[in-house]
Amino acid sequence: MGDDLYDISRFLPRSAPGAARALIGRAVEVRSLVAALAAATAGRGRAVALVGEPGIGKSALVSEIVARSRAAGTAVYAVRGRGGGASAAAGVRRVPDLGDVARRAADGAPSLVVVDDLHRVADEELDHVEELLQAAATGPVLCLLGYRRRQLSPALAEILAHAASAGMLETWNVPPLSPAQAKQVLGEQPHAEEVVEAAAGNPLHLQALGDDEDARARAGTAVLGELAGVDPDAVAVLRAAAVLGEPFDPELVADVADRDGAATGRALDELARLDLLRPSGPAGLLDLRHRAIGAVLYRQLEPGRRVALHRRAASALADRAAPIAVRADHIARAADPGRPDHATTLMAAARDVLYSAPAEAVRFLSAALPLLAEGEGRQHRHEAQVLLARAQLLSGDAAEGRELLDLLRSAMSGPQAAAEALADSSRVERQLGRLSEAGAVARAGLAALADRDSATAAALHIELADHAYDLQDYELSRQHAETAASIARRHHDRVGEAQALGQAAVAHLFTRDQGAAQAQAAAAAELIDASPDTTLLTNLYAVLQVGITEGLLGRFDASQGHLARAAELSRRTGQKQVGRSVLAVLANCQLRTGDLPGALATLEEQARGSGEVSAQGISAMLMAEVLHWHGAGGDGADATAVQTAADQALSIASGSQAGWAVTVRCFHAELVLHSGDPVRARLLLLDAAGGSGLPRLTAWRKPRWCDTLAEAAQATGDPAAVEQWARLAEQCLRELPSTGRLGFALRARMRAHASQGAVDAALRSAEAAMADFAESGERIELCRTLLAAATLALDTGRGAGVTDWLDRAAYLADRCSSARLADAVARQRGRMARMSAPVPAAPSAAAALTAREGQIAELVSTGMTNSQIAERLFLSVRTVETHLSQVYRKLGIANRASLTRTVLTGDPAQASAADPR
């Protein structure tokens, strides 16, 4: 029946102020139980069984209803099995046994009866369970039963099943929390995502695995409460299982617990009956109910006992020839300085997991180094330090890795001994933005090598190719890359060869050899595609390089495929450093193809770590650009977010002349142009690119920014400058024809034709640009070009083709999830509708205004204030006022009212005649 049949108002307030967090995600259950309590007090009894995994929150629900019932004055009776349960709630009237509860429930007075931990009720009291169920079915009693299905005895299970089939018992499964609810319970914590995933929606597990000490203590109390009265041998076995931390066989846990077979067998039976151990997989393996149980028990171990257990585990696993990383896990927690084999095992395990789990390798090596400080261990210390630095770099700790590499460089007896470390050192210097140091270290390493045809030589050539690329010396970059490719090929290093070929392809692209660039990129991609994941893990930078190269060549689908593979491998293994760079490049690819939601999600994931300097700067600018196109023009919050991200990117790029930093500053200038300040945008872009010849940009990059400069010049009414930039873009294309780049040059030419009044030629150039952008898959640029052509046509009174352009632009705006582009389409459609009105607009009046002036005039006609217009267009109020004064001057009108009539009628003379002044 519905809640409205009963008076539930007196049960609504909570009596326990701290209950809110414990009841997150339980609103539905609480409402239903409150309604059931109200119904019971009105004479309609009910029995409800709350079932679910241990720790899922059954007792929290019961405690809440007990508190509400007590506050409302309804009698509460409770009984429980051994330990735990909601009957500990304050104010619950305690009774001797289940029989007494059943008798009181049958006396006809409204009451709440709680039996928590029903599975622990003794068999001799099962008749009283049936009496309780009968009382709830016939009287004003709400009976709440909490139990664990796995621990029900056959007799009790039969009673409950019979009651359910007779309609005397409802069974409610308390579900796990959703990820969002789990995060709310957990609160702000450093590793919240990992904890939420591991806890699987169980509140007890969230508390046990989280970082909150108070929550951990509560979870510990609950888990340890389950051990009350448990046999000491069973507790010892359970602690051994917690130390093992993974599925085990009875013989292994017996050795670790130091118990004989018979005692271990009895202990395992008891722990399984208590649902603390469960079967796991084939071959009779067992495991803890959940790793949270192990976390609680492990924290409770005294240090001495913990070390002893780990050492016994390492020894037992060695006897069974267990995988070396499994044995090393225990040795790392209890290494013995008197055991040289411990250091050997740790180093071997670190090599084994260096690429598949670099964070584990860091842990193993950090434990090994103190064991190698004296005696014969010194000869292995250098190798361990090199491995540790590499593991730190892979796991994302660039600062620690660099510090260790610095120590190695200062302490090494000769460069040859540390040539491999020098390759890593060069990479970390470059990742931290120290380009001069990176090049010097790599050159020193290459000069010191006796064998110039080794894998280390190839790695150093790859570093030097990247260094030359950062300095925009593309010919030198090509030479180093092709040398590295040849060495890798001779050593059958397919992944290293792919990385070098990808580098060489980019160098060919930027030195005007499209054919070689395409061929080498295809060869690199084939090598990557033929390599298994286990091989790629040793050099994810190779997959990143191939993805970058394909993106530059306009092969966006192939690029995204390779980058997505690299991102997944980096997530799976914890190679965070390369993973952040991969995500930055993937986001750029998603943006170019118009997947704005995907780019936003990728950038949000990428922002969770620091990464190398270039990746940080590029990601911040990408975030600004994505937010710009994703948001609507009138949202002030969008404008603030865009500005914040752009400022961050500009701050990171400041002072660097590397190619990535130049690109960041160019994009910043373009955002300034979009905000309505073409003069400042032009100055910023020319400063970033090195002056009017754009010397800091390659011929491949220039057309894109020539178009931006042409747009800025067009906005300021400078046709000569528009022509200048269109010609420079076309000159670059004659040197370097390229799909995607051609579209920018054609759009710049469109602007030049338009500025000179050659509208038909301008529209032909626009259509050619549309075709190129469509072929390359750059949806944002295609949509912008469609809108530019439609705007030009409408500005000059042409209607042919505009509807199709706007329909196509609307489809692309929706496909890209771009509110900004959708708004622009809507504005141009509004203009078309006004042109089709019976009173035609005067083309001469519209033609006199720039695009920005026309935009402001239209917004004034809607009644918006200057402040509102400024917020919508991301302009300052002063800039709006300046544009508006130009509009008044050009149209020969004096005020906003006249401007509104001009927009509506298209006739300034008519508007002036109607002006009451």
Side-chain angles (χ1 to χ4, degrees):
M1 292 189 178
D3 293 355
D4 57 325
L5 296 182
Y6 307 105
D7 177 16
I8 66 171
S9 60
R10 65 183 185 278
F11 299 110
L12 292 180
R14 283 200 183 98
S15 61
R21 184 173 292 273
L23 293 171
I24 288 172
R26 303 303 183 210
V28 172
E29 289 84 354
V30 170
R31 283 196 299 270
S32 298
L33 288 173
V34 165
L37 182 58
T41 59
R44 184 182 176 88
R46 196 172 182 179
V48 175
L50 300 174
V51 299
E53 281 289 295
I56 202 68
K58 302 182 296 294
S59 293
L61 279 172
V62 170
S63 292
E64 177 70 3
I65 299 308
V66 165
R68 294 188 185 217
S69 181
R70 173 178 171 270
T74 301
V76 177
Y77 305 109
V79 70
R80 57 177 175 172
R82 292 182 292 112
S87 59
V92 175
R93 292 172 59 186
R94 306 193 182 281
V95 290
D97 55 31
L98 192 59
D100 194 11
V101 171
R103 288 188 291 276
R104 290 171 186 256
D107 67 6
S111 61
L112 169 66
V113 175
V114 174
V115 185
D116 204 4
D117 290 332
L118 179 66
H119 52 277
R120 295 185 174 186
V121 170
D123 285 348
E124 57 268 22
E125 292 196 289
L126 292 184
D127 289 345
H128 300 312
V129 174
E130 294 183 286
E131 293 171 10
L132 277 178
L133 294 171
Q134 185 64 38
T138 58
V141 176
L142 174 61
C143 179
L144 297 183
L145 308 177
Y147 61 83
R148 303 176 186 179
R149 278 200 175 101
R150 288 173 177 266
Q151 293 179 251
L152 288 177
S153 67
L156 180 54
E158 182 182 6
I159 290 171
L160 297 176
H162 177 74
S165 64
M168 298 170 62
L169 176 65
E170 301 173 36
T171 302
W172 294 5
N173 288 292
V174 182
L177 302 177
S178 69
Q181 292 165 345
K183 288 179 185 176
Q184 191 178 356
V185 169
L186 201 60
E188 292 294 330
Q189 295 191 19
H191 308 290
E193 295 283 347
E194 300 170 20
V195 173
V196 166
E197 182 177 358
N202 188 300
L204 178 67
H205 300 166
L206 288 168
Q207 293 176 6
L209 298 175
D211 295 326
D212 186 310
E213 290 298 330
D214 289 339
R216 282 185 173 189
R218 289 193 296 272
T221 299
V223 171
L224 295 175
E226 295 189 56
L227 300 181
V230 175
D231 182 79
D233 282 340
V235 174
V237 167
L238 196 64
R239 286 172 173 163
V243 166
L244 285 169
E246 60 182 19
F248 56 85
D249 60 51
E251 291 78 11
L252 175 61
V253 80
D255 287 348
V256 177
D258 198 20
R259 295 295 190 275
D260 62 33
T264 300
R266 290 191 298 272
L268 293 175
D269 289 343
E270 182 175 3
L271 293 171
R273 180 178 57 78
L274 295 174
D275 196 28
L276 289 165
L277 293 181
R278 293 178 179 178
S280 177
L285 296 181
L286 297 167
D287 199 2
L288 294 168
R289 184 175 73 214
H290 189 273
R291 57 175 278 198
I293 306 299
V296 169
L297 293 170
Y298 191 84
R299 286 194 293 265
Q300 294 291 325
L301 287 172
E302 302 89 344
R305 180 177 294 181
R306 185 182 299 175
V307 167
L309 287 170
H310 277 299
R311 288 181 179 175
R312 284 204 294 265
S315 177
L317 289 165
D319 291 342
R320 291 163 173 77
I324 194 167
V326 176
R327 288 147 45 200
D329 177 59
H330 295 285
I331 293 173
R333 298 170 190 268
D336 185 350
R339 295 278 302 273
D341 61 304
H342 277 189
T344 304
T345 301
L346 289 167
M347 288 184 63
R351 291 188 209 97
D352 195 47
V353 302
L354 180 62
Y355 298 104
S356 60
E360 282 296 280
V362 168
R363 190 165 68 86
F364 295 159
L365 292 163
S366 297
L369 278 170
L371 308 180
L372 299 170
E374 301 296 339
E376 296 181 1
R378 284 185 176 275
Q379 63 183 333
H380 299 295
R381 185 174 179 80
H382 177 81
E383 180 190 357
Q385 288 175 313
V386 171
L387 284 172
L388 177 57
R390 179 168 296 168
Q392 287 169 331
L393 298 181
L394 288 169
S395 63
D397 194 346
E400 287 290 329
R402 179 176 179 271
E403 182 178 346
L404 181 53
L405 287 167
D406 280 348
L407 289 174
L408 288 174
R409 282 157 55 188
S410 64
M412 61 190 179
S413 57
Q416 176 68 32
E420 191 173 348
L422 289 171
D424 288 329
S425 187
S426 174
R427 172 175 291 174
V428 74
E429 295 288 6
R430 182 166 47 80
Q431 289 173 341
L432 294 173
R434 297 160 57 95
L435 301 186
S436 176
E437 292 87 341
V441 169
R443 286 190 294 271
L446 194 59
L449 279 178
D451 181 4
R452 296 292 184 90
D453 192 42
S454 62
T456 300
L460 287 164
H461 276 294
I462 282 175
E463 279 304 305
L464 287 167
D466 273 337
H467 174 67
Y469 173 85
D470 286 335
L471 297 181
Q472 303 194 59
D473 187 343
Y474 301 113
E475 180 58 33
L476 182 59
S477 179
R478 180 193 64 76
Q479 293 171 12
H480 282 298
E482 291 184 343
T483 300
S486 297
I487 296 172
R489 192 177 304 117
R490 286 193 292 274
H491 286 270
H492 307 290
D493 178 6
R494 297 170 66 87
V495 179
E497 182 184 355
Q499 181 179 5
L501 287 174
Q503 289 175 309
V506 174
H508 278 299
L509 175 65
F510 287 174
T511 53
R512 308 170 188 175
D513 189 345
Q514 282 275 315
Q518 296 283 358
Q520 288 184 330
E526 187 170 351
L527 289 169
I528 291 296
D529 292 340
S531 300
D533 287 352
T534 51
T535 303
L536 292 183
L537 284 177
T538 63
N539 188 2
L540 285 180
Y541 283 100
V543 192
L544 169 61
Q545 181 63 64
V546 170
I548 290 172
T549 303
E550 289 170 326
L552 291 172
L553 290 169
R555 301 177 180 176
F556 291 119
D557 288 343
S559 176
Q560 289 191 67
H562 287 128
L563 292 169
R565 185 181 182 189
E568 176 56 32
L569 289 174
S570 68
R571 290 188 200 101
R572 188 193 310 168
T573 60
Q575 291 194 34
K576 296 179 182 178
Q577 189 75 4
V578 64
R580 291 161 189 156
S581 296
V582 168
L583 291 173
V585 179
L586 178 59
N588 180 60
C589 195
Q590 291 168 323
L591 169 60
R592 298 292 166 253
T593 55
D595 182 7
L596 295 179
L600 193 59
T602 299
L603 288 169
E604 287 172 347
E605 179 183 355
Q606 197 270 352
R608 293 173 194 150
S610 56
E612 60 186 89
V613 173
S614 60
Q616 293 178 49
I618 290 169
S619 296
M621 186 51 68
L622 285 171
M623 180 63 81
E625 196 177 355
V626 169
L627 292 173
H628 172 78
W629 293 116
H630 193 264
D635 189 340
D638 283 346
T640 300
V642 170
Q643 189 62 52
T644 299
D647 288 346
Q648 180 187 358
L650 199 60
S651 174
I652 295 170
S654 177
S656 174
Q657 295 304 320
W660 68 266
V662 172
T663 299
V664 164
R665 290 199 288 274
C666 288
F667 274 109
H668 178 260
E670 186 173 67
L671 283 173
V672 170
L673 173 61
H674 292 325
S675 73
D677 195 343
V679 174
R680 180 166 172 260
R682 172 183 172 276
L683 294 174
L684 289 172
L685 210 162
L686 289 176
D687 180 63
S692 59
L694 312 185
R696 292 180 188 147
L697 300 176
T698 63
W700 184 87
R701 295 189 189 277
K702 284 180 183 178
R704 198 245 188 275
W705 301 114
C706 283
D707 175 53
T708 302
L709 287 163
E711 184 180 0
Q714 185 181 26
T716 57
D718 187 350
V722 180
E723 176 65 25
Q724 170 194 345
W725 299 121
R727 286 185 178 179
L728 180 55
E730 290 162 348
Q731 177 186 334
C732 294
L733 263 296
R734 285 192 293 273
E735 299 172 357
L736 184 68
S738 174
T739 298
R741 303 295 98 183
L742 176 61
F744 291 109
L746 287 166
R747 196 164 66 192
R749 175 51 59 192
M750 174 203 75
R751 302 186 198 283
H753 282 316
S755 294
Q756 297 159 9
V759 177
D760 290 337
L763 293 177
R764 286 194 296 273
S765 293
E767 289 182 325
M770 294 173 201
D772 189 69
F773 285 132
E775 183 180 352
S776 67
E778 294 207 45
R779 293 191 180 94
I780 295 287
E781 299 304 334
L782 173 56
C783 191
R784 289 183 63 196
T785 309
L786 289 161
L787 284 164
T791 301
L792 175 60
L794 294 176
D795 283 348
T796 55
R798 288 167 169 76
V802 174
T803 298
D804 288 342
W805 291 337
L806 291 179
D807 285 347
R808 193 175 175 192
Y811 166 77
L812 288 169
D814 180 67
R815 177 84 180 269
C816 298
S817 299
S818 174
R820 183 176 298 278
L821 291 173
D823 275 3
V825 172
R827 286 195 298 273
Q828 298 309 317
R829 280 180 166 166
R831 292 184 65 195
M832 276 197 69
R834 289 193 292 274
M835 285 180 63
S836 303
V839 179
S844 59
L849 304 181
T850 66
R852 179 64 85 191
E853 289 166 354
Q855 191 179 30
I856 290 173
E858 288 183 11
L859 294 175
V860 167
S861 73
T862 67
M864 292 178 69
T865 66
N866 288 355
S867 296
Q868 291 170 329
I869 294 171
E871 183 178 353
R872 177 162 188 140
L873 299 181
F874 303 108
L875 303 175
S876 68
V877 174
R878 184 173 180 179
T879 300
V880 172
E881 291 170 349
T882 300
H883 281 304
L884 197 52
S885 66
Q886 291 291 336
V887 171
Y888 291 162
R889 181 183 61 78
K890 290 180 179 181
L891 298 182
I893 57 179
N895 54 35
R896 301 173 82 88
S898 296
L899 178 57
T900 299
R901 282 189 287 273
T902 297
V903 173
L904 293 174
T905 65
D907 186 353
Q910 180 180 339
S912 297
D915 188 345
R917 294 187 355 176

